[in-house]
Amino acid sequence: MENAPLSFWILFAITIAGLASAQALLSKLATRHPVTFTKLGSLHLFANNTPANNWLFARWLFSTEALLLDANISTWVWVNRVMACTAVMLFVFNVFKMFLG
């Protein structure tokens, strides 16, 4: 691929921003809601990043339970939801563009 399309670079930027946002959410959970943080497997962006913990976090992130903690956490949950959905949509767009266009 000689020239990467703009949508690829946008996806790259959203992925980096999404990782930073997820780390911010995890840090806030660790300090403000340690019980929930422990229930999710004491996640860390790199150190304790297993498929099982990722699945627990994803299920929790898109559950109503995530919105019940406090307003600040709810805001970060929505930011992470938007980042994740946008990244998935851009990924699918890039795959279709690569194979069909």
Side-chain angles (χ1 to χ4, degrees), residues 5-77:
L6 180 61
S7 59
F8 172 81
W9 293 111
I10 294 171
L11 175 59
F12 181 76
I14 287 176
T15 301
I16 299 300
L19 288 171
S21 177
Q23 182 59 45
L25 175 59
L26 292 173
S27 296
K28 290 183 185 311
L29 278 175
T31 57
R32 295 180 182 186
H33 301 283
V35 173
T36 302
F37 183 72
T38 305
K39 188 174 106 174
L40 292 174
S42 299
L43 292 165
H44 187 271
L45 197 58
F46 298 108
N48 191 12
N49 189 356
T50 65
N53 284 346
N54 288 339
W55 179 246
L56 283 173
F57 180 67
R59 277 191 3 201
W60 176 81
L61 185 64
F62 288 97
S63 72
T64 54
E65 177 188 348
L67 299 173
L68 300 176
L69 296 176
D70 64 51
N72 194 346
I73 297 293
S74 294
T75 301
W76 281 102
V77 165

